[in-house]
Amino acid sequence: MDILVCVKRVPDTAENEISVNGSGTDIERDDLVYSVNEWDNYAVEEAIQIRDKVGGSVTVISVGDSESEEVLRREMAMGADKGILISDGAFEGSDGKGLAVILKTAIEKDKYDLIFTGAQADDGAGQVGGMLAAMLDLPYASLVNFIEVSDDKKIKIGREIAGGQQEIDEIDLPCVLSIQTGINEPRYVGIRGIRKVASVEIPVLGASDLGIDQGLVGSAAAKVSRVDYFMPALGKGAEILEGSIEEKADKLIELLKSKGGIK
Amino acid sequence: MAFQIFTYILHKDGVVDDTAAEMAAAAAKLDPAASVTAIVVGSKTDPVCSSLTASFKEVWKIDNDALAYPNSEVIRGLLANVIPKGSIVLIAHDHFGMDLSPGLSVKLDGAYLPDAVGFEGIEGGKLKAVRQEYSGQVSTHVLCDISGGAVITIRPGSFTALAAGSAGGSVVDKTGDALTSGMPGGKRRFVEVIEAEVGDVDITKSEVLVSIGRGIGEQENIEIVNELAKAMGGDVSCSRPIIDAKWLEKSRQVGTSGKTVKPKVYMALGISGSFQHLGGIKGSPFMVAVNKNPKAPIFQVADIGVVEDLIEFVPMLTEKINEMK
Ligand SMILES: Cc1cc2nc3c(=O)[nH]c(=O)nc-3n(C[C@H](O)[C@H](O)[C@H](O)COP(=O)(O)OP(=O)(O)OC[C@H]3O[C@@H](n4cnc5c(N)ncnc54)[C@H](O)[C@@H]3O)c2cc1C
């Protein structure tokens, strides 16, 4: 089974407090810690487990700037066989469709039985996998939290639906799946693992290498574009307890008592 | 120019989902002059369709026994057969909408705007919308060129439902048009739905929930929360990363893909406040958030906020409660 996993380098929200910069044009990027998108990491782990069971290969691919190489290397340290970086100034400002076009062009250069994306990334859009499938005319399933490879024509999958229920489907190969967290337990990657793949060459492909129709990508083709960032104001806002940590605990206990929170 | 807007209706067991009235509100906000058509796909949908005629001028029905379970691979093909290019299609951003919509926007050759939480008007063919990124830590304004049509998913709960009016709408049967070339989407076949596991504690019945998120840091720290829950007479629940790490049973997860809870008091400890988590909390409980990040989105929805490291704060709180008792 030859498996391709699309991965993205993102600010690690578990490590960072994300805030807006002074002019609202971007998030504050100084001191941000980056890592691989959490959902993509589960997708790579799943691909590796399938390959180890039935044979084949795992390729990780990323569209991004030169720094995205580090996440490809990290996923190769996990066990992916090959990395491909797609990078070109002409891709800047692409919307979801533009990204899907870029990936589609790269995917058509090879043959894959399974194509994975994460269920979503830092922008919460969850769009590239579904678009890619439609452009490649392949079947698609999102939020996949279970995969059983039965034969080389079709596989059995589970999708996460509402309220902890799971939808079981059968899907023909090749197909595109977006992978949900919790499908497996991604292995730990240590410094030593990363060192091992430090000198493996990762090819970098640009628009002309891929032969991409430049009218379909980049900011000029984008139908969706971000104007600015701002801090959300959803509700009325909590009353923030002030004082020392002890005083906060005392105040909270009084409030909890009055609301029936201490039985 | 007025837009032709379609809204995809979610329904189950003959009952229209709450999001239908929210989609109607979103459509009205997008373009008050637009004609809005509801689309119902399923099997034995007549009761659903007729109940929608109070809210929509036109209700399109695509009805067939093979459509009893909503398989989005099938439905995408059907919709692409009947929805004219250039239309705007509104769909709820849930597990079904996420499955259906990105590909539908490719089929209809329109823009795709995912998970919108607000609309702020149209200028020169471009819709200004509000989205969130980084699990709700920041918001963005985006411009979406809808002049050539668009598929837009709407976050459930972000538009206030329109009360059913007296639209006096009519039902149009589109089944024939949708199925002109047979049933599409045969490459993904629905097999079954597996029900959620039943756990040792039913958190949907708890009056006091002490809920933990990724901020708990390590599995062994859960003990301090167990003790707080015991002191308060409540139960422990959690956000999704705790389940993904297999630190607690799936039946303890609160949220859209977990349980819907209705406690009197909800303690959110080290939980950032993503909409998928908040979507599982109903009945406006008294909510306390403990988080070391003063900008965490949870503080916008909680009643009381404590900006502290929970690893320090929780044991102190437990001790004080136990002393008082
Ligand atoms: C289709 C789909 C369905 C989903 N369904 C659900 C669902 O049902 N339920 C759910 O919960 N999520 C669900 N999610 C995931 C959701 O998007 C978020 O990723 C998740 O809710 C985040 O959990 P969290 O708040 O615990 O973690 P994070 O967002 O990482 O937040 C951790 C918080 O802890 C704080 N913190 C860290 N250390 C400390 C400390 N020592 N003391 C105090 N505070 C600290 C941080 O400041 C941060 O605010 C779903 C996602 C998708 C895509």
Side-chain angles (χ1 to χ4, degrees):
Chain A
M1 197 99 11
D2 292 313
I3 312 173
L4 180 79
V5 189
C6 307
V7 301
K8 184 178 180 188
R9 176 179 181 264
V10 300
D12 186 343
T13 46
E15 297 281 334
N16 301 289
E17 293 173 12
I18 307 286
S19 60
V20 178
N21 74 7
S23 52
T25 51
D26 196 0
I27 57 170
E28 192 58 74
R29 294 206 184 253
D30 296 347
D31 308 322
L32 277 190
V33 178
Y34 286 81
S35 67
V36 64
N37 173 39
E38 189 183 356
W39 282 267
D40 303 346
N41 202 44
Y42 283 90
V44 173
E45 175 65 39
E46 194 63 19
I48 291 170
Q49 290 188 15
I50 293 172
R51 179 205 61 195
D52 289 349
K53 222 186 212 154
V54 303
S57 66
V58 176
T59 304
V60 285
I61 191 168
S62 189
V63 182
D65 58 17
S66 56
E67 296 191 87
S68 295
E69 202 194 287
E70 82 190 20
V71 307
L72 291 172
R73 235 173 254 293
R74 187 195 177 282
E75 302 308 284
M76 289 169 72
M78 267 175 94
D81 303 284
K82 197 177 146 193
I84 303 173
L85 176 61
I86 302 191
S87 193
D88 198 313
F91 299 154
E92 240 163 79
S94 294
D95 62 3
K97 277 222 170 121
L99 275 169
V101 168
I102 296 166
L103 285 165
K104 166 186 178 269
T105 317
I107 289 168
E108 283 172 336
K109 299 235 169 288
D110 268 299
K111 211 191 126 283
Y112 300 100
D113 304 294
L114 277 172
I115 297 160
F116 291 169
T117 68
Q120 61 177 37
D122 52 348
D123 60 3
Q127 57 191 349
V128 171
M131 291 177 174
L132 199 54
M135 288 177 187
L136 291 165
D137 206 19
L138 294 178
Y140 173 65
S142 65
L143 300 170
V144 171
N145 63 1
F146 164 79
I147 299 179
E148 186 185 283
V149 177
S150 29
D151 58 60
D152 55 4
K153 295 273 179 317
K154 58 181 191 306
I155 57 175
K156 196 171 152 188
I157 57 160
R159 287 188 65 231
E160 180 180 279
I161 54 174
Q165 292 180 319
Q166 189 184 36
E167 170 189 317
I168 304 292
D169 297 324
E170 201 177 72
I171 189 165
D172 291 346
L173 297 175
C175 65
V176 181
L177 305 178
S178 91
I179 305 295
Q180 175 64 308
T181 57
I183 185 172
N184 52 40
E185 289 174 74
R187 66 197 69 190
Y188 175 75
V189 182
I191 292 285
R192 204 176 297 154
I194 296 191
R195 267 199 215 119
K196 261 195 199 154
V197 295
S199 56
V200 179
E201 207 186 322
I202 295 180
V204 184
L205 304 179
S208 57
D209 303 310
L210 294 171
I212 273 187
D213 178 349
Q214 298 216 15
L216 297 175
V217 299
S219 53
K223 288 192 169 176
V224 180
S225 58
R226 206 185 274 111
V227 185
D228 62 4
Y229 287 87
F230 60 100
M231 293 308 275
L234 292 176
K236 57 190 183 335
E239 175 195 342
I240 304 290
L241 300 184
E242 304 289 349
S244 69
I245 183 166
E246 300 233 0
E247 287 165 348
K248 290 179 192 172
D250 291 333
K251 284 184 194 165
L252 182 55
I253 288 173
E254 287 313 309
L255 287 162
L256 285 172
K257 273 200 288 193
S258 71
K259 299 288 177 181
I262 298 175
K263 291 199 273 191
Chain B
M1 186 190 99
F3 286 97
Q4 171 70 35
I5 301 182
F6 292 89
T7 81
Y8 185 88
I9 305 294
L10 297 175
H11 58 93
K12 205 176 173 197
D13 304 327
V15 181
V16 175
D17 190 72
D18 288 347
T19 52
E22 296 172 18
M23 297 303 114
K29 180 81 197 279
L30 201 161
D31 180 4
S35 80
V36 184
T37 302
I39 302 190
V40 177
V41 182
S43 146
K44 306 190 177 56
T45 57
D46 285 338
V48 168
C49 292
S50 60
S51 73
L52 287 165
T53 53
S55 311
F56 296 92
K57 271 254 166 274
E58 205 164 284
V59 179
W60 285 9
K61 142 176 132 169
I62 302 174
D63 194 305
N64 186 289
D65 286 347
L67 298 171
Y69 185 84
N71 176 344
S72 64
E73 287 286 291
V74 174
I75 293 172
R76 190 180 309 114
L78 298 172
L79 295 180
N81 285 342
V82 295
I83 296 177
K85 288 202 170 149
S87 310
I88 292 173
V89 189
L90 303 182
I91 303 167
H93 189 83
D94 72 344
H95 63 87
F96 174 78
M98 290 175 81
D99 210 38
L100 170 76
S101 310
L104 183 64
S105 78
V106 172
K107 298 244 178 221
L108 294 175
D109 203 16
Y112 182 54
L113 178 60
D115 192 25
V117 300
F119 293 146
E120 294 188 354
I122 301 175
E123 261 173 63
K126 290 192 172 170
L127 169 67
K128 190 171 183 189
V130 180
R131 296 190 69 249
Q132 294 186 340
E133 299 193 12
Y134 304 102
S135 307
Q137 291 195 66
V138 295
S139 291
T140 63
H141 286 112
V142 296
L143 283 178
C144 176
D145 182 352
I146 57 173
S147 58
V151 174
I152 302 174
T153 60
I154 310 277
R155 179 178 298 183
S158 51
F159 285 83
T160 310
L162 274 192
S166 46
S170 54
V171 179
V172 183
D173 193 340
K174 288 279 178 180
T175 311
D177 295 345
L179 287 166
T180 38
S181 38
M183 193 62 78
K187 288 182 174 172
R188 174 173 143 199
R189 298 164 294 276
F190 170 71
V191 178
E192 60 174 331
V193 168
I194 297 181
E195 292 303 323
E197 318 166 5
V198 184
D200 51 349
V201 175
D202 184 359
I203 60 169
T204 66
K205 303 231 159 61
S206 307
E207 289 200 342
V208 175
L209 281 174
V210 179
S211 206
I212 54 170
R214 192 170 356 229
I216 192 76
E218 285 170 41
Q219 186 168 16
E220 48 257 42
N221 293 337
I222 295 178
E223 199 39 44
I224 62 173
V225 179
N226 285 336
E227 271 157 29
L228 176 61
K230 203 161 123 204
M232 292 175 68
D235 296 310
V236 175
S237 58
C238 65
S239 70
R240 178 168 184 128
I242 304 299
I243 303 300
D244 289 342
K246 314 237 173 351
W247 291 351
L248 288 175
E249 280 181 47
K250 174 84 180 160
S251 58
R252 302 260 185 171
Q253 181 190 325
V254 173
T256 53
S257 61
K259 296 273 192 274
T260 299
V261 298
K262 312 171 270 311
K264 283 200 183 117
V265 172
Y266 192 83
M267 300 277 287
L269 311 175
I271 292 176
S272 65
S274 70
F275 81 93
Q276 289 104 343
H277 185 76
L278 299 174
I281 307 171
K282 296 282 178 268
S284 328
F286 178 69
M287 195 190 293
V288 178
V290 180
N291 199 301
K292 65 178 184 187
N293 175 7
K295 289 180 188 149
I298 189 85
F299 287 131
Q300 296 169 24
V301 292
D303 297 286
I304 299 295
V306 177
V307 183
E308 287 291 348
D309 184 332
L310 76 92
I311 308 299
E312 261 181 81
F313 185 74
V314 167
M316 176 179 293
L317 187 65
T318 309
E319 201 182 306
K320 283 180 181 285
I321 294 173
N322 286 335
E323 271 168 22
M324 177 194 79
K325 277 188 170 174

